[in-house]
């Protein structure tokens, strides 16, 4: 099959005006300019469109899609208390399974062909397995929870239950250093390391978390503090990145969500570890955090990516919407090519999929998204400014939207 479009944006090289992509089976076999000889191939002319690698959202919780708009914007702790109440209501499992389904299709229609999705009860992968989206299904370890997995033994069983396939990779996610004891975080990362699977965690998300880790008085909700003590979550009396080293030294690097609060001197330490950081600009704004250290992390060479987090703290699952906010917040300092990399190849690398997706190149999977675009100038800048829905989407060479 040959796809022709007004613009082809390979990401690994500059946009091609009047380009084409030839696909055989699940893979891209040729990328070029002009009209290729069609031969036996079916040719589809997408017209005034930009054809991009499918976008990659490395941090989301699709099971929370159904809670959109139900916990008000504002500080993190009241929000999470409200979310816990919502999640405890009867019918939760069905509601969250439906949320995974809805969230996956919202993502595909926004041109997102791969998600790094975190699931609390490990229910998402069963739903996602039947949906033609590429996914890393992270099983979430939460020691404070009523349901498994609450420790690394239960995590191992849940990880073993995930049925991987060509589009589905299993991973693990110890939730955060205030909800999982440090020893259990390390055991979870060791599990990922020995199985050669990706891992992710929420780290340095709030000021209160950082104070707790340092052994300073932390203004955490009293109920949470009591649960933490009960579950053996103790302060390591360390800065966030020192605590992270304790949990991950000598093991394969992972993906840290947020890292909103990190001291300047810790950023060099972080850069030396190889961990990636996923920043979620609109969720960050939703919680009213202080400005994110994104530009300092970038200067230090920390691998970065952009994600949406869940619809319980965001207005859409569109990564183009996310880039528009990032572009404004950074005063246009990044340029359209770098912005696009943050939601394609950089995000793919952060999920351990950089050799398979994230660019349009021969040999890579044909995960592609076409967006309406009649720009004469920079097509990527036009897409970020307008954030349209995708007009057509392919995953592993199959058209899904
Ligand atoms: Zn999250």
């Amino acid at each position: 099959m040959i796809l022709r479009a007004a613009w082809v944006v390979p990401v690994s090289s500059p946009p091609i005006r009047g380009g084409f992509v030839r696909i055989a089976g699940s893979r891209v076999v040729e990328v070029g300019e002009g009209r290729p000889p069609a031969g036996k191939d079916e040719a589809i002319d997408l017209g005034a469109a930009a054809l991009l690698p499918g976008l990659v959202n490395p941090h989301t919780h699709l099971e929370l899609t159904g809670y959109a708009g139900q916990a008000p914007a504002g500080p993190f702790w009241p929000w999470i208390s409200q979310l816990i109440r919502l999640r405890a209501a009867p019918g939760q499992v069905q509601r969250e399974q439906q949320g995974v389904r809805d969230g996956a299709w919202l993502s595909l229609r926004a041109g997102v062909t791969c998600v790094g999705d975190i699931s609390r009860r490990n229910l998402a992968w069963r739903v996602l397995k039947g949906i033609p989206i590429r996914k890393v299904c992270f099983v979430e370890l939460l020691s404070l929870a009523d349901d498994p997995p609450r420790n690394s033994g239960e995590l191992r069983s849940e990880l073993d239950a995930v049925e991987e396939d060509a589009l589905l990779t299993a991973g693990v996610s110890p939730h955060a250093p205030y909800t999982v004891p440090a020893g259990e975080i390390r055991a979870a990362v060791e599990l990922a390391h020995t199985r050669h699977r990706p891992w992710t965690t929420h780290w340095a998300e709030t000021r209160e978390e950082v104070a707790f880790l340092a052994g300073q008085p932390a203004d955490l909700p009293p109920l949470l503090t009591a649960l933490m003590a009960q579950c053996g979550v103790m302060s390591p009396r360390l800065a966030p990145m020192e605590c992270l080293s304790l949990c991950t030294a000598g093991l394969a690097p992972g993906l840290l969500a947020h890292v909103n609060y990190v001291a300047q001197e810790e950023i060099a330490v972080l850069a030396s570890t190889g961990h990636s950081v996923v920043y979620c600009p609109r969720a960050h704004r939703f919680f009213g955090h202080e400005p994110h250290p994104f530009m300092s992390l970038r200067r230090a060479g920390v691998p970065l990516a952009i994600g949406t987090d869940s619809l319980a703290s965001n207005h859409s699952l569109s990564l183009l919407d996310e880039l528009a906010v990032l572009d404004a917040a950074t005063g246009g300092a990044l340029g359209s090519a770098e912005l696009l990399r943050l939601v394609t190849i950089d995000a793919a690398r952060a999920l351990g999929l950089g050799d398979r997706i994230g660019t349009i190149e021969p040999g890579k999977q044909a995960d592609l998204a076409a967006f309406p675009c009649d720009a004469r100038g920079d097509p990527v800048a036009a897409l970020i400014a307008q954030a349209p829905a995708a007009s057509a989407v392919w995953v592993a060479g199959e058209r899904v939207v």
Side-chain angles (χ1 to χ4, degrees), residues 59 61 202 258 309:
H59 185 76
H61 308 253
H202 298 82
H258 310 309
D309 222 333

Side-chain angles (χ1 to χ4, degrees), residues 72-152:
F76 181 79
W77 301 106
W79 174 87
I80 202 161
S81 303
Q82 170 68 356
L83 186 66
I84 290 166
R85 272 194 293 279
L86 290 167
R87 297 191 79 176
Q92 180 217 28
V93 170
Q94 291 77 1
R95 195 161 54 242
E96 296 196 357
Q97 284 170 330
Q98 187 59 44
V100 173
R101 210 167 286 122
D102 294 344
W105 284 105
L106 284 171
S107 299
L108 283 168
R109 288 196 288 271
V112 175
T113 56
C114 179
V115 290
D117 180 62
I118 298 173
S119 180
R120 174 69 277 277
R121 287 198 176 93
N122 200 20
L123 58 78
W125 74 266
R126 289 174 210 276
V127 179
L128 288 173
K129 196 169 171 68
I131 299 176
I133 189 169
R134 199 176 295 277
K135 50 266 180 180
V136 175
C137 293
F138 290 108
V139 185
E140 186 169 66
L141 166 61
L142 187 63
S143 303
L144 273 46
D146 290 330
D147 308 284
R150 292 157 298 193
N151 55 56
S152 48

Side-chain angles (χ1 to χ4, degrees), residues 25-49:
S26 70
R27 288 172 193 270
V28 170
V29 292
E30 188 183 0
V31 183
E33 191 182 347
R35 283 182 164 262
K40 290 188 302 242
D41 287 333
E42 176 199 5
I44 299 173
D45 193 341
L46 298 166

